[in-house]
Amino acid sequence: MLGLHWSNQIDYNVFAGKGFCMGTEYPKVVRREQKKVSPWLNLVEKEVLFSEGAKSQVYHSVNQAAYIAMMAVMQDGRIPIVRQYRPCVESFTWEFPGGTLDEGETPKEAAIRELREETGLETLAIHDLGCFYPDTGRLGLDSHAFFIEASNPKENFVEEEGVNVRFVTPSELRQMMHDMEFCHLPHWGIYAAAILKGWGCKFGQG
């Protein structure tokens, strides 16, 4: 058993604009407690009242620092993807570069840093695709998506331990998506968002 400690401290920043309500409107959260599982993750328990006089219901979710991910297209038209082992699904996965915000970072700064750290690419131009809910049932965090116009790779780039980088053509990426080699659903959403926001012309979807 993990030695977890419940805390009723509320981080209003996590729920800013997310319908967190202690007023008279329904539904409203009447109790919120959290257990710190690790430096990266909290287990949250919420008691929700859906109408006056109704019995409240308890829900559980996980929250963490805000997440960023990006689809980048290099000057030569290729797209960086990264492969790493994900213990949660007990499998190696192909994904777009991404990570969590460091303290004091803006999402845009984090995206530029993560792209450089994971792929060695420099950002030439960055375009905000929006802030999304990756999982409205169990995961409470902001997920920021970006489309980045990037440099070509550096010859002397050294990969992070446990992270393999591959530079694929747009047609190769589409084939990997078709074959479910690239099966990270939120990152499919980034691909779609890039097209809907008008950047598909950069990777043959304009």
Side-chain angles (χ1 to χ4, degrees):
M1 286 289 292
L2 292 172
L4 304 180
H5 173 67
W6 282 110
S7 169
N8 61 5
Q9 293 226 334
I10 297 172
D11 183 355
Y12 289 99
N13 291 323
V14 173
F15 294 94
K18 302 296 190 297
F20 182 78
C21 175
M22 292 296 287
T24 57
E25 296 182 359
Y26 296 94
K28 63 179 177 180
V29 177
V30 296
R31 181 179 60 84
R32 177 184 183 274
E33 297 180 352
Q34 63 181 1
K35 292 177 180 178
K36 189 175 184 64
V37 178
S38 75
W40 304 277
L41 184 145
N42 291 325
L43 176 63
V44 181
E45 180 176 285
K46 298 178 188 175
E47 188 174 351
V48 182
L49 191 62
F50 286 90
S51 62
E52 187 174 359
K55 182 179 179 180
S56 61
Q57 300 184 41
V58 175
Y59 294 84
H60 293 91
S61 60
V62 169
N63 71 24
Q64 64 176 67
Y67 175 79
I68 56 93
M70 75 293 300
M71 179 180 182
V73 176
M74 296 164 9
Q75 291 169 304
D76 64 11
R78 290 180 296 166
I79 299 165
I81 56 176
V82 295
R83 181 179 184 266
Q84 55 190 312
Y85 183 74
R86 294 299 196 183
C88 179
V89 294
E90 301 181 21
S91 179
F92 285 93
T93 63
W94 284 107
E95 308 169 10
F96 290 137
T100 55
L101 269 70
D102 288 344
E103 187 175 355
E105 261 187 332
T106 67
K108 189 171 290 187
E109 290 169 343
I112 293 170
R113 173 183 54 78
E114 286 286 354
L115 182 66
R116 182 186 300 117
E117 290 177 353
E118 294 193 355
T119 70
L121 302 180
E122 297 297 335
T123 296
L124 304 178
I126 182 168
H127 312 283
D128 191 348
L129 298 177
C131 183
F132 299 86
Y133 297 117
D135 178 354
T136 56
R138 290 290 179 265
L139 192 56
L141 79 157
D142 291 333
S143 184
H144 301 268
F146 295 91
F147 178 77
I148 291 180
E149 298 173 72
S151 66
N152 287 332
K154 300 175 182 177
E155 292 183 6
N156 61 349
F157 172 68
V158 178
E159 294 180 338
E160 289 185 306
E161 184 177 357
V163 179
N164 300 122
V165 184
R166 182 178 171 189
F167 303 109
V168 297
T169 65
S171 61
E172 287 172 334
L173 177 60
R174 287 192 290 272
Q175 188 63 50
M176 291 178 72
M177 295 171 76
H178 179 273
D179 296 340
M180 297 303 290
E181 288 183 74
F182 188 97
C183 58
H184 192 302
L185 183 57
H187 290 195
W188 275 55
I190 294 174
Y191 184 91
I195 295 173
L196 290 170
K197 295 283 186 174
W199 298 108
C201 59
K202 298 289 186 178
F203 51 96
Q205 294 293 306

